[in-house]
């Protein structure tokens, strides 16, 4: 079945770049997303990429997609303390229609 | 514009009790879904609906029922609560169509403890 894998923790120094990685198994995935969850809150969409793209940049965020290796990454430039959260990678074939498959989430820890 | 509203925010149940988690959205979204979030497990899909009157099972449907009588509401019913259903439950909605730039909107969650 479908599976999305992420590392559970990433620790970076404030001001450095963070790179969160994700692999997925469903080759028919059409939409790939990154969500952010702060403590006690729901999930907030950060960015997305369509499967016919290999890169997308949005201010401090850069998403890279290697469709051949089924590898997705999220780079956060100039990481700040406000970036401390859990980051979820998610994939779907039909957008929101039949739900998304989420990874277990990566806890991003910012060191001063 | 309230978005996706979930009630209650917190709930404690005894084993065997039943209850309904409420979810309402005011964005006229066709698609709605329920997820549960457990430590180290990410989010897992329980049930989803592509429109009023239509529901389907997700990855972990056992012990839960849903109905979708209106576009706005998508309640999740626990028929006989079990400790394994202790979790944080999230409701989400999205508009219909292949609109990857309008993905899931999440509620703030219901934290359920079953003793």
């Amino acid at each position: 079945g479908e599976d999305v894998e992420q590392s559970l923790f990433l620790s970076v120094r404030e001001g450095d770049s963070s790179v969160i990685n994700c692999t997925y198994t469903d080759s028919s995935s059409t939409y790939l997303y990154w969500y952010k969850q702060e403590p006690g809150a729901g999930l907030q969409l950060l960015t997305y990429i369509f499967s016919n793209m290999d890169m997308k940049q949005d201010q401090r965020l850069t998403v890279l997609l290697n469709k051949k290796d089924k590898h997705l990454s999220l780079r956060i430039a100039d990481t700040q303390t406000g970036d401390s959260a859990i980051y979820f990678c998610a994939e779907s074939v039909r957008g929101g229609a039949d739900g998304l498959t989420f990874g277990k989430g990566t806890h991003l820890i910012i060191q001063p | 514009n309230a978005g996706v509203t979930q009630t209650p925010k917190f709930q404690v149940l005894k084993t065997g009790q039943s209850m309904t988690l409420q979810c309402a959205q005011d964005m006229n979204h066709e698609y709605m879904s329920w997820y549960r979030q457990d430590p180290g497990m990410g989010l897992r899909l329980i049930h989803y609906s592509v429109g009023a009157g239509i529901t389907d099972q997700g990855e972990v449907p056992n012990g839960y029922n849903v109905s979708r009588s209106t576009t706005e509401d998508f309640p999740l019913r626990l028929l006989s609560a079990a400790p394994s259903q202790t979790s944080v439950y999230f409701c989400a909605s999205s508009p219909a169509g292949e609109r990857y730039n309008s993905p899931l909107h999440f509620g703030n969650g219901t934290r359920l403890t079953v003793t």
Side-chain angles (χ1 to χ4, degrees):
Chain A
E2 304 159 7
D3 198 15
V4 178
E5 297 285 341
Q6 305 177 236
S7 302
L8 287 183
F9 295 96
L10 176 67
S11 178
V12 297
R13 289 190 182 277
E14 190 175 359
D16 287 352
S17 292
S18 306
V19 180
I20 304 172
N21 293 301
C22 168
T23 57
Y24 59 97
T25 58
D26 190 348
S27 57
S28 58
S29 296
T30 306
Y31 309 100
L32 295 141
Y33 308 93
W34 285 104
Y35 280 85
K36 177 182 180 182
Q37 185 182 34
E38 295 178 349
L43 275 71
Q44 170 197 359
L45 176 71
L46 276 183
T47 187
Y48 62 90
I49 190 165
F50 193 54
S51 61
N52 67 356
M53 302 163 68
D54 51 23
M55 187 182 89
K56 180 178 179 183
Q57 188 148 4
D58 184 1
Q59 298 182 349
R60 291 192 298 124
L61 305 178
T62 303
V63 178
L64 294 177
L65 174 62
N66 181 329
K67 196 173 178 184
K68 174 177 168 290
D69 293 339
K70 301 191 188 70
H71 181 267
L72 183 73
S73 68
L74 173 69
R75 178 177 179 268
I76 305 172
D78 186 24
T79 308
Q80 303 298 309
T81 54
D83 295 324
S84 180
I86 304 175
Y87 291 81
F88 290 93
C89 172
E91 61 86 23
S92 78
V93 175
R94 292 173 56 197
D98 50 359
L100 272 59
T101 300
F102 285 86
K104 291 181 171 54
T106 299
H107 293 245
L108 179 61
I109 300 162
I110 315 300
Q111 299 172 18
Chain B
N1 194 349
V4 179
T5 303
Q6 290 185 238
T7 55
K9 288 186 167 54
F10 301 94
Q11 182 70 51
V12 179
L13 290 179
K14 292 190 189 308
T15 297
Q17 286 185 315
S18 63
M19 80 158 293
T20 299
L21 280 63
Q22 302 292 345
C23 175
Q25 52 91 9
D26 60 0
M27 298 172 282
N28 203 30
H29 284 172
E30 289 83 353
Y31 302 153
M32 297 187 76
S33 48
W34 277 102
Y35 293 83
R36 59 178 288 174
Q37 183 179 26
D38 301 294
M41 295 292 291
L43 278 80
R44 292 180 291 170
L45 182 66
I46 304 172
H47 285 284
Y48 63 96
S49 168
V50 297
I54 305 168
T55 63
D56 210 340
Q57 295 182 349
E59 181 188 353
V60 288
N62 292 342
Y64 308 95
N65 274 359
V66 291
S67 58
R68 186 93 181 270
S69 55
T70 67
T71 299
E72 294 77 21
D73 299 298
F74 192 43
L76 179 72
R77 277 181 284 278
L78 279 71
L79 306 173
S80 177
S84 61
Q85 294 179 303
T86 293
S87 189
V88 181
Y89 291 85
F90 287 99
C91 179
S93 72
S94 65
E98 305 281 323
R99 294 181 60 189
Y100 59 89
N101 58 342
S102 296
L104 297 184
H105 298 251
F106 282 86
N108 284 330
T110 294
R111 283 148 183 78
L112 176 69
T113 302
V114 183
T115 61

